[in-house]
Amino acid sequence: MDRRVAAPLPAGLGPLLGREHDLKHLARLLRGGSRLITLRGPGGIGKTALALHLAHAVRGEYDHVQVVDLTHLRDPAEVLGAVAATLPAHDRSLPPGRLILDFTGQHRTLLVLDNFEQLLPAASHLGDLLSETATLQLVVTSRSALHLHDEREYPVGPLALPERAQHAASSPAVQLFVARAQATSPAFELNALNTAQVIRLCGVLEGVPLALELAAARLRTYALPDLLARLERPLEVLRADFRDRPERLRSLRAAVQWSYDLLSEDDRAVFECCAVFEGSFTPEALTEVWGSPDVLDGAESLLEQSFLQRLDTPDTRWRMLQPLRELAAEHLDGHPQAPLWRERHALYFLKMTEELFLRWEHTNTDDRAAYLPHYPNVRAGMVWVIEQGRADLAYRYLGVVGALWAPFGLFVQEVPLVERVLALPAPADRRVLLRALEVSVDSLNSVGQYQARNARLREVLALCRELGDVESAAWASLNLIPVAWEEGRGEEAWETVQRVLREYRERVGDGPQTRKQRMLRASAHLHGALTLLELGRHAEALEYATLARQYFREAGNAMFDLESGTVMGMLMLHLHRLPEARTLLLACLHDAADKGFRGVAEEVLRWGLIFLAARLQDWNAVAQFTAFVNDPAFEYAPSVPDRQLRHDIAQAREALGEAGFRDAWEAGTHLRLPDVVELAERLARGPRHPPQRSASGADLTPREREVLALVSQGHPDRRIARLLGISPGTASKHVGNLLGKLGLRNRVELTRWAIEQAEPDSA
């Protein structure tokens, strides 16, 4: 006899994007005999949709499948009655529990109990039902676990975000946003112009399904760029009048407020304290900010109720989804403990960064990659002390935070922070001031403000003399070397390198070295390599770069280890050692990407892989790599690699045409670091030898021929300018024109070409 009973499940479910694995796993759990599965997660995360799809997927395996919406219940005593009322039973005179047991005893039943979080005391009734019948299985959606012995918790998290721009269309978060956007605006589609904006929107909303749906609905009112600009406060923006949705799912604020209203007063205080943090944080950090380890009990309660999430990381890290954090921050602003919590937060992350700096100084261990997750909190602490006018703390922050800015590629975006710190009164501790000014030098250099950088370096030198800090003074001298390059005084720059190394050897001798001294020796060799490059002495430059890399490794500096490797790869290209250069540059890029060192990855591109792409005439790669780096300084930087980069960009523009170049550049601005690595790998798999170019001097002007003759005699641009009575900039421009017209890469090739052209005349 067929004992099946009609199961009135909701029909017309939309596609379940990004949850296919979850659906299969949950179905296996039910088939494997799991009696109680709790889909646990914050409001708006998609628990209900997953539960409904699960019910549809397995309905053929049960006599009866029933979904019970408990949203409107507030009294736990009413739960069994609400469940019993949905069953197609005949004897309604029985108590609800008995009616459910009688029905499920005769029918293999799956009950989906939706929105249980406000009814948790009723969980014991569910345990009683399961203990008295073997033919009942339960799937419960709840913000909190039920804490029953046989419960199987299944956390439901945000939808996956795209790791690469080119894979955006296959990302569940992007797919959901696009599908819902098309429901409102049928003409909307994912294309080359809006992909980066859609990826950013999904990232801002952290893949929360309800937030994505509400954002898509707002496209009725706002263009995508304007919507993005308003998402700094999503609770104020994201709402929609879905008449078939409960009120709590019609706006993001309602969804999170529903959850907040269910918190106890103690839990609310911990929740609001957590709003002090940006991004993820550790239990130790929360304990320090709260002022007592008692807060960890409250954090555990928030984790159980899905207000916090534990990240899948080797160390324990928690985070709060952005909508919840925004709500918590609103309540934090009026909390009497907020100023104390913020001060403790700022001091904790300042001390953490200073300890990193000190540990690095004394142990040669470069573990900066581990600090990338902490950086949002480091920055938040720094901003707070600046806003409070705490100059002493602000300068301390600036003096150590540069150690994080350099490898993570943050100098350009954080220039305003540097200026805000330096606008405060100088600290009494002159060494703190010195470290802050040194970081500001790198900041000015990163945005091409070379005159201001040079003035700041002279300020640093004066302070070094005042403090008797010989190593820091030598560092400043090395950083003034690019001034000599710019003015065509390459030999003078080389003398500076030799002087710094000579004085270093005199001070240190054969005795033990501090890490700062080891760093100075390594930096001097790297500056030596770059100066020899300016002088066209590539083989010697490679020797210096190789030594620099060895010394940076001994000093425990992973960032400059990779940067020295990049310079080595660039010099190998100058020396026509193409296979070695490919291998080394690609290895440096992979290592930088693995460590999260975006700043180093950009240097590998700027000073190595763009050069390689141009050698191989892959002009699309030249444009895309340059757009990805988007360095404001490369247009003005005086070094040989930067002059080469400007030439390569001009070549790419000419080869691709203006429209093609714009398209390639636009594509490059959308790339993410994994996309760049993949593009570099394709480049490395390209031809093993650079394409041959035809060279003709027929179209050279008389002035260019004069410059060519002087270049072939080994004269630098500054000397050529004096001999011809022109400016150094004009001389450099003529050299660049020669390289472009003749299809050559550097002065060595230009000299060789001139000699080869002269040989027939002299024969």
Side-chain angles (χ1 to χ4, degrees):
M1 173 178 171
D2 188 353
R3 303 170 62 86
R4 299 194 178 204
V5 179
L9 294 177
L13 295 177
L16 188 68
L17 300 172
R19 305 290 193 199
E20 296 82 3
H21 171 77
D22 296 314
L23 188 60
K24 291 178 181 177
H25 191 185
L26 289 166
R28 283 198 300 271
L29 291 176
L30 288 175
R31 292 170 186 139
S34 294
R35 303 288 309 286
L36 170 61
I37 301 174
T38 301
L39 305 184
R40 183 174 62 80
I45 206 67
K47 303 183 296 296
T48 298
L50 179 56
L52 293 178
H53 277 272
L54 176 61
H56 274 275
V58 301
R59 65 185 304 179
E61 302 170 30
Y62 294 87
D63 298 328
H64 185 73
V65 177
Q66 183 71 50
V67 176
V68 184
D69 184 1
L70 303 173
T71 303
H72 301 293
L73 291 188
R74 293 296 180 272
D75 186 353
E78 296 178 355
V79 169
L80 292 186
V83 174
T86 65
L87 298 176
H90 300 291
D91 189 352
R92 295 291 175 182
S93 64
L94 295 174
R98 174 47 54 191
L99 189 151
I100 295 170
L101 288 173
D102 284 355
F103 180 84
T104 58
Q106 300 175 55
H107 306 90
R108 186 162 182 259
T109 303
L110 174 65
L111 294 178
V112 177
L113 307 183
D114 194 25
N115 294 299
F116 203 86
E117 53 260 21
Q118 76 279 15
L119 303 165
L120 291 176
S124 59
H125 300 321
L126 302 185
D128 293 340
L129 291 176
L130 291 172
S131 67
E132 294 186 40
T133 177
T135 53
L136 172 64
Q137 289 175 281
L138 298 174
V139 172
V140 177
T141 72
S142 175
R143 191 195 64 195
S144 304
L146 275 57
H147 294 292
L148 297 178
H149 182 269
D150 293 328
E151 178 183 22
R152 182 71 176 258
E153 288 186 51
Y154 196 90
V156 181
L159 295 176
L161 301 170
E163 292 185 2
R164 304 185 180 190
Q166 65 188 61
H167 298 161
S170 60
S171 158
V174 171
Q175 288 176 344
L176 176 61
F177 176 78
V178 171
R180 296 307 301 169
Q182 290 172 342
T184 302
S185 306
F188 184 87
E189 62 179 15
L190 193 68
N191 55 45
L193 297 177
N194 65 19
T195 293
Q197 294 172 333
V198 172
I199 290 174
R200 184 179 159 212
L201 180 143
C202 293
V204 167
L205 300 179
E206 297 184 318
V208 175
L210 177 61
L212 294 171
E213 291 190 20
L214 294 172
R218 296 300 278 168
L219 289 179
R220 285 194 192 98
T221 307
Y222 298 108
L224 182 57
D226 294 331
L227 177 60
L228 257 175
R230 292 172 176 269
L231 285 182
E232 183 177 338
R233 297 184 65 85
L235 293 188
E236 300 298 326
V237 178
L238 299 184
R239 58 185 182 275
D241 294 327
F242 297 131
R243 291 176 178 168
D244 59 345
R245 288 280 187 89
E247 182 62 33
R248 63 185 177 81
L249 295 181
R250 295 187 187 185
S251 76
L252 196 58
R253 177 175 294 280
V256 297
Q257 189 67 45
W258 157 272
S259 299
Y260 178 82
D261 289 343
L262 297 175
L263 285 176
S264 68
E265 287 299 322
D266 289 343
D267 285 348
R268 287 183 185 182
V270 177
F271 175 60
E272 289 152 18
C273 180
C274 290
V276 171
F277 295 96
E278 293 280 352
S280 62
F281 56 94
T282 63
E284 293 77 15
L286 178 58
T287 299
E288 187 70 23
V289 170
W290 181 266
S292 163
D294 296 342
V295 72
L296 298 181
D297 291 334
E300 186 171 353
S301 177
L302 292 178
L303 286 159
E304 289 180 356
Q305 297 176 79
S306 304
F307 280 88
L308 292 178
Q309 294 180 311
R310 185 178 67 80
L311 302 184
D312 186 16
T313 51
D315 61 331
T316 300
R317 301 191 65 79
W318 301 327
R319 74 159 181 168
M320 193 184 295
L321 289 175
Q322 175 57 30
L324 291 167
R325 186 184 180 279
E326 184 181 347
L327 181 68
E330 290 178 357
H331 289 280
L332 173 67
D333 287 341
H335 198 289
Q337 289 288 94
L340 179 60
W341 288 340
R342 291 193 184 281
E343 180 167 19
R344 287 172 177 169
H345 172 274
L347 289 173
Y348 177 83
F349 285 99
L350 172 58
K351 291 175 182 176
M352 170 190 285
T353 312
E354 288 179 330
E355 287 168 3
L356 161 70
F357 197 83
L358 288 173
R359 185 166 61 254
W360 189 20
E361 286 284 336
H362 295 295
T363 66
N364 295 348
T365 300
D366 188 351
D367 55 354
R368 283 178 289 182
Y371 281 73
L372 182 57
H374 294 287
Y375 182 69
N377 281 299
V378 172
R379 188 184 193 280
M382 184 174 181
V383 168
W384 185 82
V385 299
I386 293 172
E387 290 175 346
Q388 299 301 307
R390 301 283 295 274
D392 55 337
L393 299 178
Y395 276 90
R396 282 171 58 190
Y397 256 114
L398 181 56
V400 294
V401 78
L404 300 178
W405 286 351
F408 300 149
L410 299 171
F411 261 112
V412 172
Q413 74 180 56
E414 301 298 19
V415 166
L417 274 186
V418 177
E419 298 308 313
R420 290 176 67 185
V421 172
L422 297 182
L424 297 172
D429 189 326
R430 306 293 280 172
R431 292 197 176 276
V432 168
L433 175 61
L434 174 60
R435 287 197 297 269
L437 291 178
E438 288 175 337
V439 172
S440 76
V441 167
D442 292 330
S443 172
L444 291 167
N445 193 62
S446 70
V447 291
Q449 295 184 22
Y450 299 120
Q451 289 185 342
R453 176 206 62 188
N454 298 342
R456 188 67 48 77
L457 277 168
R458 293 185 175 93
E459 188 178 350
V460 167
L461 277 170
L463 190 52
C464 289
R465 287 192 289 270
E466 174 189 328
L467 296 172
D469 190 333
V470 179
E471 272 73 32
S472 293
W475 172 87
S477 298
L478 291 172
N479 279 273
L480 279 168
I481 281 177
V483 179
W485 300 343
E486 186 176 3
E487 296 174 354
R489 295 183 285 110
E491 294 294 345
E492 184 177 323
W494 178 240
E495 283 299 321
T496 299
V497 171
Q498 295 303 305
R499 174 178 59 78
V500 169
L501 285 172
R502 183 170 59 253
E503 292 173 352
Y504 158 82
R505 287 189 291 267
E506 290 171 355
R507 283 195 309 277
V508 176
D510 297 328
Q513 305 171 54
T514 66
R515 182 186 176 280
K516 191 170 186 178
Q517 289 170 335
R518 285 192 288 269
M519 280 289 295
L520 175 62
R521 177 177 63 169
S523 295
H525 279 82
L526 184 57
H527 278 83
L530 295 173
T531 300
L532 289 166
L533 171 62
E534 294 288 329
L535 296 171
R537 293 156 59 178
H538 300 120
E540 293 175 80
L542 181 57
E543 293 176 5
Y544 265 73
T546 303
L547 285 172
R549 192 175 200 196
Q550 173 189 328
Y551 296 149
F552 278 124
R553 284 184 174 177
E554 292 176 4
N557 192 311
M559 184 190 83
F560 276 103
D561 172 358
L562 293 174
E563 293 212 350
S564 301
T566 300
V567 173
M568 289 171 61
M570 174 183 60
L571 290 165
M572 289 173 181
L573 288 173
H574 279 286
L575 293 167
H576 310 290
R577 292 162 57 176
L578 187 59
E580 294 171 84
R582 288 178 195 256
T583 301
L584 179 55
L585 290 171
L586 192 58
C588 288
L589 181 64
H590 271 287
D591 202 357
D594 290 344
K595 287 181 166 65
F597 285 1
R598 179 181 170 119
V600 179
E602 290 174 352
E603 288 298 300
V604 178
L605 294 173
R606 176 178 166 178
W607 282 30
L609 288 168
I610 295 174
F611 189 12
L612 173 62
R615 288 288 299 271
L616 299 174
Q617 295 190 18
D618 188 336
W619 303 117
N620 274 297
V622 169
Q624 290 183 46
F625 283 157
T626 307
F628 174 81
V629 174
N630 194 25
D631 189 339
F634 86 85
E635 293 185 11
Y636 315 105
S639 67
V640 165
D642 290 303
R643 296 201 299 269
Q644 181 69 52
L645 176 59
R646 292 192 287 272
H647 175 260
D648 291 339
I649 293 171
Q651 287 278 93
R653 191 184 297 273
E654 181 179 352
L656 296 172
E658 195 59 39
F661 182 83
R662 280 200 309 269
D663 289 344
W665 186 277
E666 181 69 19
T669 63
H670 296 166
L671 294 176
R672 310 182 86 176
L673 188 52
D675 299 314
V676 168
V677 173
E678 185 174 320
L679 181 57
E681 288 173 343
R682 290 202 303 270
L683 181 71
R685 292 194 297 268
R688 303 309 296 176
H689 300 286
Q692 297 297 314
R693 303 179 185 185
S694 59
S696 170
D699 58 347
L700 298 185
T701 67
R703 176 63 82 187
E704 286 169 347
R705 291 181 181 277
E706 290 177 338
V707 171
L708 177 62
L710 293 172
V711 168
S712 68
Q713 296 168 24
H715 296 298
D717 291 352
R718 176 66 61 175
R719 193 169 300 147
I720 291 173
R722 287 201 299 269
L723 291 171
L724 296 180
I726 57 179
S727 71
T730 301
S732 297
K733 184 176 180 180
H734 282 311
V735 173
N737 290 340
L738 286 166
L739 293 169
K741 286 184 176 181
L742 300 176
L744 303 173
R745 296 293 166 191
N746 51 56
R747 299 174 78 96
V748 172
E749 291 184 2
L750 190 58
T751 300
R752 185 182 298 119
W753 186 90
I755 293 171
E756 290 172 353
Q757 296 300 308
E759 284 174 355
D761 295 334
S762 61

